[in-house]
Amino acid sequence: MTTSPSIAGTAGTVAAPDAPVQKRKRPRVQNPWAIVAFVSPFALVFTLFYVIPIGYAVWQSLLVVEREGTFGEAREVFGGFAQYALVFQNAEFWSSVGRVFLFGVVQVPVMLGLALLFALLLDSPLLRGKKFFRLAFFVPYAVPGVIAAIMWGFLYSPNLSPFEAVTSQVDFLSSDLVLWSIANVVTWVFVGYNMLIIYSTLLAIPGDIYEAARLDGAGQARIAWSIKIPLIRPALVLTGVLSIIGTLQLLAEPQTFRAFSSAVTSSYTPNMTIYATSSIPNVSLAAAFSVVLALATFVLSFTFLRITRRKAAAS
């Protein structure tokens, strides 16, 4: 009888390399139909209102309109990537993309910085009247974006603003400043929303960590910088991704500002370009614009996630 070779060591005998390895059995699902019953409502709604519209938009973007003669009946035929060629030739669309990119580079860090500051203040034991300030910071988010834009539009208008001494000297609705006037509206509305996400994450941090830091002699500023901010990094990443997506979808505020400033054109942002194109109507070209914008949003969001993950791994 032959025995399996073994390797003797000081810690005992090690099994031979040819020893059979037992595979772990996956636990058997007890109630698969219960899983199907719980998942089906979400899957149905997700498919009807997300997957199918996206698929229809992609298909619509591949169609072109043909006519027989000048006044012939229009009919849609498969045109391949003809609409996408027009997208990349459209200077107004790419100018609007560059505009919102500049908007996001400046506005998103300012908004998230204010949201982080307000959340840290609410979580600090030094602040009094936390309930009042928590409500005051969040109330602007309860104002619809269109109403907020109308309100700020009146405040910016030289002939309507109660601050005429300021608006007569600085034209907030000029072509040089209207983008940043819109950024101020978006910041005013969404700081409270992002603050609530960050503040909720701060409340989930165990108090024992703060107590240990205080015993080591750390002050509130040191605790905030060295403990709170690193622990709420996932919330900061989440708000960053949501803000990037929201920036590229900018529509309500600039569309409302068209009534106050001639500097805001129908192609001022990518979504306004899509809306104006679909109103011509040129639905297929608008669908191609939408697909390209969705891909750009995905690329920017994914790039932001990769950069933040690398920084987190490095630290």
Side-chain angles (χ1 to χ4, degrees):
M1 180 179 66
T2 60
T3 58
S4 300
S6 61
I7 302 173
T10 56
T13 303
V14 180
D18 57 350
V21 179
Q22 294 184 354
K23 295 183 179 180
R24 295 183 60 183
K25 295 183 179 179
R26 294 183 179 180
R28 184 179 179 182
V29 179
Q30 298 295 328
N31 298 304
W33 290 109
I35 298 175
V36 173
F38 280 109
V39 174
S40 294
F42 167 78
L44 178 63
V45 175
F46 182 79
T47 303
L48 288 177
F49 296 99
Y50 192 81
V51 177
I52 293 178
I54 290 177
Y56 178 75
V58 173
W59 168 250
Q60 188 70 45
S61 69
L62 300 176
L63 302 178
V64 295
V65 177
E66 288 187 351
R67 295 179 182 272
E68 294 182 0
T70 306
F71 303 102
E73 182 181 358
R75 57 191 181 92
E76 291 183 333
V77 297
F78 182 79
F81 295 101
Q83 300 291 0
Y84 290 96
L86 295 177
V87 170
F88 288 99
Q89 295 171 9
N90 193 298
E92 289 186 347
F93 175 74
W94 293 107
S95 177
S96 67
V97 171
R99 189 176 294 113
V100 296
F101 180 78
L102 177 62
F103 177 96
V105 168
V106 177
Q107 187 268 337
V108 170
V110 171
M111 178 179 63
L112 296 184
L114 290 174
L116 175 62
L117 176 62
F118 292 159
L120 291 173
L121 286 175
L122 289 176
D123 194 59
S124 172
L126 304 178
L127 183 68
R128 298 291 181 265
K130 292 184 178 182
K131 291 183 179 180
F132 168 78
F133 285 105
R134 183 169 62 231
L135 180 63
F137 293 152
F138 185 73
V139 159
Y141 180 68
V143 180
V146 175
I147 303 301
I150 293 174
M151 180 183 69
W152 279 97
F154 279 114
L155 292 176
Y156 290 141
S157 299
N159 300 327
L160 303 173
S161 175
F163 309 103
E164 187 178 354
V166 178
T167 56
S168 61
Q169 299 295 325
V170 181
D171 188 2
F172 293 100
L173 300 176
S174 65
S175 57
D176 295 329
L177 295 179
V178 68
L179 180 65
W180 310 117
S181 299
I182 296 173
N184 178 63
V185 178
V186 176
T187 302
W188 182 78
V189 172
F190 286 97
V191 161
Y193 170 78
N194 292 290
M195 178 216 66
L196 193 63
I197 295 176
I198 299 171
Y199 181 59
S200 301
T201 309
L202 284 170
L203 293 178
I205 299 176
D208 296 342
I209 299 177
Y210 302 149
E211 185 64 28
R214 282 191 290 268
L215 291 175
D216 289 339
Q220 291 300 322
R222 182 66 176 176
I223 291 174
W225 180 258
S226 300
I227 297 177
K228 292 183 179 181
I229 294 178
L231 290 178
I232 62 173
R233 184 173 294 165
L236 296 176
V237 172
L238 173 63
T239 54
V241 171
L242 294 177
S243 299
I244 291 173
I245 295 173
T247 297
L248 290 173
Q249 293 179 348
L250 193 63
L251 176 64
E253 291 81 6
Q255 186 74 20
T256 305
F257 265 66
R258 291 191 67 192
F260 298 97
S261 174
S262 59
V264 182
T265 63
S266 60
S267 59
Y268 197 72
T269 67
N271 265 351
M272 291 179 67
T273 304
I274 295 170
Y275 179 78
T277 304
S278 64
S279 302
I280 292 176
N282 192 341
V283 180
S284 296
L285 182 57
F289 279 133
S290 301
V291 173
V292 172
L293 181 62
L295 292 175
T297 304
F298 170 78
V299 170
L300 287 176
S301 302
F302 182 76
T303 302
F304 177 77
L305 284 174
R306 288 293 300 270
I307 293 173
T308 52
R309 284 182 179 179
R310 287 182 179 177
K311 289 185 176 180
S315 59

